[in-house]
Every structure is written in structure tokens, then in C-alpha cells.
Amino acid sequence: MKQIFTTLSVYAVVYFVLLAVVLGLLYSYPQVELHMLMNSQHTGFQDAFFKYYSLLAEWPLYILALVPLIWKRKELPLLFAMSELSSGAVVQILKHLFHSPRPIMVFENYPDLLLPLVDGVEMRHSNSFPSGHTATFFVFFTCCALLLAYRYLHSAQPRNHRTWLLFSLGSLVLLGMAALGGYSRIYLSQHFTLDVCVGSMIGFTMPWLIFYVSRYKILKLEK
């Protein structure tokens, strides 16, 4: 188990670096000003990309998590299901505890500011904190990173600097895809940066905890 966490050190370190940067921005800027700063550059391509990329968290990721069943590999579906259920529960508890308004509601108090919106996106009005979509993105790609590390450590291929570099690059691609999903929620003005930040923390943490607790009895991974 320690080997897996060590193998994913690049994934974890880069995530915490990104988290530290975002926390620094949250400390330095008021909520509305930071939203405008993070969401100031819109193009037609980006509008279309983030509009559809964000939708991955609504059901396509759940379908992708079932793909390993084709090869009778149930580890990813099980890990994803348990992680998603636990993170979803935390997200829903916090959403209904805080009842935070979405950006479109908050910006009604700032008539001099034009909230960047994307055509065709249905805007939400309540339960902004934390971002459930972001949690789902991080749950899925962190699960993928954990199982990728497990397969890397148990592969018959020799482990050397080249294979480790390829693995690390692959894990960083997964992290980048998760972060991109989180940013899509800011770009679409569905969430503030704080919502996305906390959503990522939940989605990042739960798979590690579930993997640690269930690695032998439920996931039945080799010791």
C-alpha cells in the first residue's frame, strides 16, 4: 500500500501545489472579483468545449467506469462506486447545510458587472457549495490513477526510469483532466472558485480513503 502512495507522489504533489495556488487566490481576492478574474477570457471554441466537457460528470464517467467489466475487471467500478457514493454524500450534506447561492444569483447584487455566460447552458440558482461535478471528476480520475499505480507495480514489465516517467506523465494527464473538469464549472459560471476547490478536495480524498480501507476485503487486491 505504501508503494502505491509513493508511486503516486507526483500526482499528489502536483495536486497540492495547484491547491495551494488556488487557496492563495481565494485569500487574495474577494469572491466576485476572483470569479471575474478566472472567467475573463471567452472564445467560441472554449464555450463549446467546456459546455460539453462539463457534462461528462453527469453520466458518461459512470459509463466509462463500467468498461473494465468487459475484461472481468471489477476493481475500477467498485472503487469508483464506493468513492462516488461517499463523496456524493459529503457533497449533498454540505450543499444542504450551507444553501449557498450560485454565481447568477450573487451577481444580481452587482448590476455594473456582466456575468460571463455560455449559450445553451441551463443555469443553476442554489446549492452552489461545494461543486458536485468537480467532486465527480476528481473521484473518477483519482480512482483511475490509483488503479494505474497498482497495475504499474504489479506489471510483469521491468520498472525503470523510462516506465516510471511514462507512468508519471499518465497520472498527470489524469490530474489535468480532473482539474479541467473543475475549471469548466467556473467557466460556465455554475460555481465560484471556492465551490470547485472544496469539491476537488472531497473528490481527491475519498478514493484514497476507500482504496486504503477496502483494498483487500472488497477490491481483493494482492498484498
Side-chain angles (χ1 to χ4, degrees), residues 120-141:
V121 175
E122 181 182 354
M123 302 305 296
R124 307 289 183 176
H125 295 78
S126 60
N127 294 335
S128 186
F129 176 86
S131 169
H133 280 69
T134 301
T136 296
F137 273 111
F138 273 88
V139 162
F140 180 80
F141 289 112

PDB file of all heavy atoms in Angstrom, residues 120-141:
ATOM      1  N   GLY A 120     -26.909  28.197 -24.211  1.00  0.00           N
ATOM      2  CA  GLY A 120     -27.347  26.811 -24.171  1.00  0.00           C
ATOM      3  C   GLY A 120     -27.098  26.097 -22.866  1.00  0.00           C
ATOM      4  O   GLY A 120     -27.446  24.918 -22.722  1.00  0.00           O
ATOM      5  N   VAL A 121     -26.501  26.772 -21.890  1.00  0.00           N
ATOM      6  CA  VAL A 121     -26.228  26.162 -20.587  1.00  0.00           C
ATOM      7  C   VAL A 121     -27.326  26.577 -19.615  1.00  0.00           C
ATOM      8  O   VAL A 121     -27.551  27.768 -19.382  1.00  0.00           O
ATOM      9  CB  VAL A 121     -24.854  26.592 -20.039  1.00  0.00           C
ATOM     10  CG1 VAL A 121     -24.647  26.032 -18.632  1.00  0.00           C
ATOM     11  CG2 VAL A 121     -23.745  26.107 -20.964  1.00  0.00           C
ATOM     12  N   GLU A 122     -28.014  25.597 -19.070  1.00  0.00           N
ATOM     13  CA  GLU A 122     -29.068  25.877 -18.089  1.00  0.00           C
ATOM     14  C   GLU A 122     -28.426  26.246 -16.761  1.00  0.00           C
ATOM     15  O   GLU A 122     -27.686  25.453 -16.169  1.00  0.00           O
ATOM     16  CB  GLU A 122     -29.961  24.648 -17.911  1.00  0.00           C
ATOM     17  CG  GLU A 122     -31.090  24.873 -16.921  1.00  0.00           C
ATOM     18  CD  GLU A 122     -31.944  23.628 -16.717  1.00  0.00           C
ATOM     19  OE1 GLU A 122     -31.703  22.629 -17.446  1.00  0.00           O
ATOM     20  OE2 GLU A 122     -32.820  23.640 -15.843  1.00  0.00           O
ATOM     21  N   MET A 123     -28.696  27.441 -16.281  1.00  0.00           N
ATOM     22  CA  MET A 123     -28.050  27.937 -15.081  1.00  0.00           C
ATOM     23  C   MET A 123     -28.760  27.457 -13.820  1.00  0.00           C
ATOM     24  O   MET A 123     -29.983  27.475 -13.736  1.00  0.00           O
ATOM     25  CB  MET A 123     -27.996  29.465 -15.095  1.00  0.00           C
ATOM     26  CG  MET A 123     -27.278  30.050 -16.299  1.00  0.00           C
ATOM     27  SD  MET A 123     -25.590  29.403 -16.493  1.00  0.00           S
ATOM     28  CE  MET A 123     -24.814  30.024 -14.999  1.00  0.00           C
ATOM     29  N   ARG A 124     -27.954  27.035 -12.855  1.00  0.00           N
ATOM     30  CA  ARG A 124     -28.462  26.657 -11.536  1.00  0.00           C
ATOM     31  C   ARG A 124     -28.474  27.882 -10.630  1.00  0.00           C
ATOM     32  O   ARG A 124     -27.691  28.817 -10.822  1.00  0.00           O
ATOM     33  CB  ARG A 124     -27.587  25.572 -10.928  1.00  0.00           C
ATOM     34  CG  ARG A 124     -27.386  24.347 -11.828  1.00  0.00           C
ATOM     35  CD  ARG A 124     -28.640  23.533 -11.938  1.00  0.00           C
ATOM     36  NE  ARG A 124     -28.432  22.335 -12.743  1.00  0.00           N
ATOM     37  CZ  ARG A 124     -29.354  21.402 -12.940  1.00  0.00           C
ATOM     38  NH1 ARG A 124     -30.550  21.535 -12.394  1.00  0.00           N
ATOM     39  NH2 ARG A 124     -29.095  20.353 -13.687  1.00  0.00           N
ATOM     40  N   HIS A 125     -29.350  27.858  -9.626  1.00  0.00           N
ATOM     41  CA  HIS A 125     -29.512  29.044  -8.793  1.00  0.00           C
ATOM     42  C   HIS A 125     -29.177  28.822  -7.317  1.00  0.00           C
ATOM     43  O   HIS A 125     -28.980  29.792  -6.584  1.00  0.00           O
ATOM     44  CB  HIS A 125     -30.949  29.575  -8.900  1.00  0.00           C
ATOM     45  CG  HIS A 125     -31.311  30.074 -10.261  1.00  0.00           C
ATOM     46  ND1 HIS A 125     -31.637  29.226 -11.305  1.00  0.00           N
ATOM     47  CD2 HIS A 125     -31.361  31.335 -10.770  1.00  0.00           C
ATOM     48  CE1 HIS A 125     -31.906  29.947 -12.394  1.00  0.00           C
ATOM     49  NE2 HIS A 125     -31.731  31.218 -12.097  1.00  0.00           N
ATOM     50  N   SER A 126     -29.134  27.587  -6.871  1.00  0.00           N
ATOM     51  CA  SER A 126     -28.930  27.340  -5.436  1.00  0.00           C
ATOM     52  C   SER A 126     -27.967  26.173  -5.214  1.00  0.00           C
ATOM     53  O   SER A 126     -27.561  25.492  -6.150  1.00  0.00           O
ATOM     54  CB  SER A 126     -30.269  27.032  -4.757  1.00  0.00           C
ATOM     55  OG  SER A 126     -30.870  25.884  -5.326  1.00  0.00           O
ATOM     56  N   ASN A 127     -27.628  25.967  -3.915  1.00  0.00           N
ATOM     57  CA  ASN A 127     -26.740  24.868  -3.508  1.00  0.00           C
ATOM     58  C   ASN A 127     -25.430  24.864  -4.295  1.00  0.00           C
ATOM     59  O   ASN A 127     -25.031  23.855  -4.878  1.00  0.00           O
ATOM     60  CB  ASN A 127     -27.453  23.523  -3.662  1.00  0.00           C
ATOM     61  CG  ASN A 127     -28.623  23.380  -2.710  1.00  0.00           C
ATOM     62  OD1 ASN A 127     -28.666  24.011  -1.655  1.00  0.00           O
ATOM     63  ND2 ASN A 127     -29.598  22.561  -3.067  1.00  0.00           N
ATOM     64  N   SER A 128     -24.746  25.976  -4.242  1.00  0.00           N
ATOM     65  CA  SER A 128     -23.508  26.128  -5.006  1.00  0.00           C
ATOM     66  C   SER A 128     -22.314  25.456  -4.345  1.00  0.00           C
ATOM     67  O   SER A 128     -21.426  24.958  -5.031  1.00  0.00           O
ATOM     68  CB  SER A 128     -23.209  27.615  -5.208  1.00  0.00           C
ATOM     69  OG  SER A 128     -22.102  27.805  -6.059  1.00  0.00           O
ATOM     70  N   PHE A 129     -22.298  25.448  -3.024  1.00  0.00           N
ATOM     71  CA  PHE A 129     -21.123  24.960  -2.286  1.00  0.00           C
ATOM     72  C   PHE A 129     -21.387  23.589  -1.679  1.00  0.00           C
ATOM     73  O   PHE A 129     -22.360  23.416  -0.951  1.00  0.00           O
ATOM     74  CB  PHE A 129     -20.779  25.943  -1.162  1.00  0.00           C
ATOM     75  CG  PHE A 129     -19.641  25.486  -0.289  1.00  0.00           C
ATOM     76  CD1 PHE A 129     -18.334  25.763  -0.643  1.00  0.00           C
ATOM     77  CD2 PHE A 129     -19.882  24.787   0.890  1.00  0.00           C
ATOM     78  CE1 PHE A 129     -17.284  25.346   0.171  1.00  0.00           C
ATOM     79  CE2 PHE A 129     -18.838  24.368   1.698  1.00  0.00           C
ATOM     80  CZ  PHE A 129     -17.541  24.652   1.339  1.00  0.00           C
ATOM     81  N   PRO A 130     -20.510  22.612  -1.964  1.00  0.00           N
ATOM     82  CA  PRO A 130     -19.388  22.606  -2.915  1.00  0.00           C
ATOM     83  C   PRO A 130     -19.847  22.096  -4.280  1.00  0.00           C
ATOM     84  O   PRO A 130     -21.018  21.761  -4.453  1.00  0.00           O
ATOM     85  CB  PRO A 130     -18.412  21.628  -2.267  1.00  0.00           C
ATOM     86  CG  PRO A 130     -19.307  20.628  -1.591  1.00  0.00           C
ATOM     87  CD  PRO A 130     -20.519  21.403  -1.122  1.00  0.00           C
ATOM     88  N   SER A 131     -18.941  22.019  -5.225  1.00  0.00           N
ATOM     89  CA  SER A 131     -19.268  21.595  -6.582  1.00  0.00           C
ATOM     90  C   SER A 131     -19.299  20.072  -6.693  1.00  0.00           C
ATOM     91  O   SER A 131     -18.273  19.409  -6.554  1.00  0.00           O
ATOM     92  CB  SER A 131     -18.249  22.155  -7.580  1.00  0.00           C
ATOM     93  OG  SER A 131     -18.406  21.553  -8.854  1.00  0.00           O
ATOM     94  N   GLY A 132     -20.490  19.518  -6.952  1.00  0.00           N
ATOM     95  CA  GLY A 132     -20.621  18.079  -7.108  1.00  0.00           C
ATOM     96  C   GLY A 132     -19.973  17.558  -8.379  1.00  0.00           C
ATOM     97  O   GLY A 132     -19.399  16.462  -8.393  1.00  0.00           O
ATOM     98  N   HIS A 133     -20.071  18.335  -9.466  1.00  0.00           N
ATOM     99  CA  HIS A 133     -19.434  17.932 -10.717  1.00  0.00           C
ATOM    100  C   HIS A 133     -17.915  17.800 -10.524  1.00  0.00           C
ATOM    101  O   HIS A 133     -17.298  16.843 -10.991  1.00  0.00           O
ATOM    102  CB  HIS A 133     -19.714  18.953 -11.823  1.00  0.00           C
ATOM    103  CG  HIS A 133     -21.060  18.823 -12.452  1.00  0.00           C
ATOM    104  ND1 HIS A 133     -22.217  19.133 -11.771  1.00  0.00           N
ATOM    105  CD2 HIS A 133     -21.445  18.434 -13.697  1.00  0.00           C
ATOM    106  CE1 HIS A 133     -23.255  18.939 -12.583  1.00  0.00           C
ATOM    107  NE2 HIS A 133     -22.811  18.509 -13.752  1.00  0.00           N
ATOM    108  N   THR A 134     -17.339  18.772  -9.839  1.00  0.00           N
ATOM    109  CA  THR A 134     -15.890  18.739  -9.610  1.00  0.00           C
ATOM    110  C   THR A 134     -15.509  17.525  -8.779  1.00  0.00           C
ATOM    111  O   THR A 134     -14.508  16.850  -9.073  1.00  0.00           O
ATOM    112  CB  THR A 134     -15.428  20.021  -8.898  1.00  0.00           C
ATOM    113  OG1 THR A 134     -15.773  21.158  -9.689  1.00  0.00           O
ATOM    114  CG2 THR A 134     -13.921  20.002  -8.673  1.00  0.00           C
ATOM    115  N   ALA A 135     -16.292  17.232  -7.745  1.00  0.00           N
ATOM    116  CA  ALA A 135     -16.019  16.052  -6.922  1.00  0.00           C
ATOM    117  C   ALA A 135     -16.058  14.790  -7.766  1.00  0.00           C
ATOM    118  O   ALA A 135     -15.195  13.905  -7.628  1.00  0.00           O
ATOM    119  CB  ALA A 135     -17.034  15.966  -5.779  1.00  0.00           C
ATOM    120  N   THR A 136     -17.030  14.687  -8.676  1.00  0.00           N
ATOM    121  CA  THR A 136     -17.140  13.506  -9.533  1.00  0.00           C
ATOM    122  C   THR A 136     -15.935  13.384 -10.462  1.00  0.00           C
ATOM    123  O   THR A 136     -15.391  12.284 -10.651  1.00  0.00           O
ATOM    124  CB  THR A 136     -18.431  13.556 -10.362  1.00  0.00           C
ATOM    125  OG1 THR A 136     -19.559  13.512  -9.487  1.00  0.00           O
ATOM    126  CG2 THR A 136     -18.513  12.388 -11.334  1.00  0.00           C
ATOM    127  N   PHE A 137     -15.511  14.497 -11.042  1.00  0.00           N
ATOM    128  CA  PHE A 137     -14.322  14.472 -11.902  1.00  0.00           C
ATOM    129  C   PHE A 137     -13.109  13.954 -11.131  1.00  0.00           C
ATOM    130  O   PHE A 137     -12.370  13.087 -11.615  1.00  0.00           O
ATOM    131  CB  PHE A 137     -14.026  15.866 -12.447  1.00  0.00           C
ATOM    132  CG  PHE A 137     -14.747  16.210 -13.718  1.00  0.00           C
ATOM    133  CD1 PHE A 137     -15.748  17.168 -13.735  1.00  0.00           C
ATOM    134  CD2 PHE A 137     -14.430  15.569 -14.903  1.00  0.00           C
ATOM    135  CE1 PHE A 137     -16.422  17.483 -14.904  1.00  0.00           C
ATOM    136  CE2 PHE A 137     -15.096  15.873 -16.085  1.00  0.00           C
ATOM    137  CZ  PHE A 137     -16.095  16.836 -16.089  1.00  0.00           C
ATOM    138  N   PHE A 138     -12.896  14.482  -9.932  1.00  0.00           N
ATOM    139  CA  PHE A 138     -11.716  14.080  -9.167  1.00  0.00           C
ATOM    140  C   PHE A 138     -11.837  12.660  -8.627  1.00  0.00           C
ATOM    141  O   PHE A 138     -10.831  11.953  -8.528  1.00  0.00           O
ATOM    142  CB  PHE A 138     -11.450  15.085  -8.038  1.00  0.00           C
ATOM    143  CG  PHE A 138     -10.609  16.237  -8.477  1.00  0.00           C
ATOM    144  CD1 PHE A 138     -11.197  17.368  -9.026  1.00  0.00           C
ATOM    145  CD2 PHE A 138      -9.228  16.205  -8.367  1.00  0.00           C
ATOM    146  CE1 PHE A 138     -10.425  18.438  -9.462  1.00  0.00           C
ATOM    147  CE2 PHE A 138      -8.442  17.267  -8.791  1.00  0.00           C
ATOM    148  CZ  PHE A 138      -9.044  18.383  -9.346  1.00  0.00           C
ATOM    149  N   VAL A 139     -13.041  12.234  -8.280  1.00  0.00           N
ATOM    150  CA  VAL A 139     -13.228  10.849  -7.860  1.00  0.00           C
ATOM    151  C   VAL A 139     -12.833   9.901  -8.982  1.00  0.00           C
ATOM    152  O   VAL A 139     -12.057   8.956  -8.788  1.00  0.00           O
ATOM    153  CB  VAL A 139     -14.695  10.594  -7.441  1.00  0.00           C
ATOM    154  CG1 VAL A 139     -14.989   9.097  -7.426  1.00  0.00           C
ATOM    155  CG2 VAL A 139     -14.973  11.178  -6.066  1.00  0.00           C
ATOM    156  N   PHE A 140     -13.352  10.147 -10.177  1.00  0.00           N
ATOM    157  CA  PHE A 140     -13.108   9.233 -11.293  1.00  0.00           C
ATOM    158  C   PHE A 140     -11.632   9.175 -11.656  1.00  0.00           C
ATOM    159  O   PHE A 140     -11.042   8.082 -11.750  1.00  0.00           O
ATOM    160  CB  PHE A 140     -13.919   9.658 -12.519  1.00  0.00           C
ATOM    161  CG  PHE A 140     -13.711   8.764 -13.707  1.00  0.00           C
ATOM    162  CD1 PHE A 140     -14.383   7.553 -13.797  1.00  0.00           C
ATOM    163  CD2 PHE A 140     -12.840   9.109 -14.728  1.00  0.00           C
ATOM    164  CE1 PHE A 140     -14.182   6.701 -14.884  1.00  0.00           C
ATOM    165  CE2 PHE A 140     -12.641   8.266 -15.817  1.00  0.00           C
ATOM    166  CZ  PHE A 140     -13.318   7.063 -15.896  1.00  0.00           C
ATOM    167  N   PHE A 141     -11.013  10.325 -11.844  1.00  0.00           N
ATOM    168  CA  PHE A 141      -9.628  10.312 -12.324  1.00  0.00           C
ATOM    169  C   PHE A 141      -8.637   9.929 -11.222  1.00  0.00           C
ATOM    170  O   PHE A 141      -7.568   9.378 -11.521  1.00  0.00           O
ATOM    171  CB  PHE A 141      -9.285  11.665 -12.948  1.00  0.00           C
ATOM    172  CG  PHE A 141      -9.975  11.885 -14.265  1.00  0.00           C
ATOM    173  CD1 PHE A 141     -10.969  12.842 -14.403  1.00  0.00           C
ATOM    174  CD2 PHE A 141      -9.655  11.102 -15.364  1.00  0.00           C
ATOM    175  CE1 PHE A 141     -11.620  13.034 -15.608  1.00  0.00           C
ATOM    176  CE2 PHE A 141     -10.302  11.283 -16.583  1.00  0.00           C
ATOM    177  CZ  PHE A 141     -11.286  12.242 -16.700  1.00  0.00           C
TER     178      PHE A 141
END
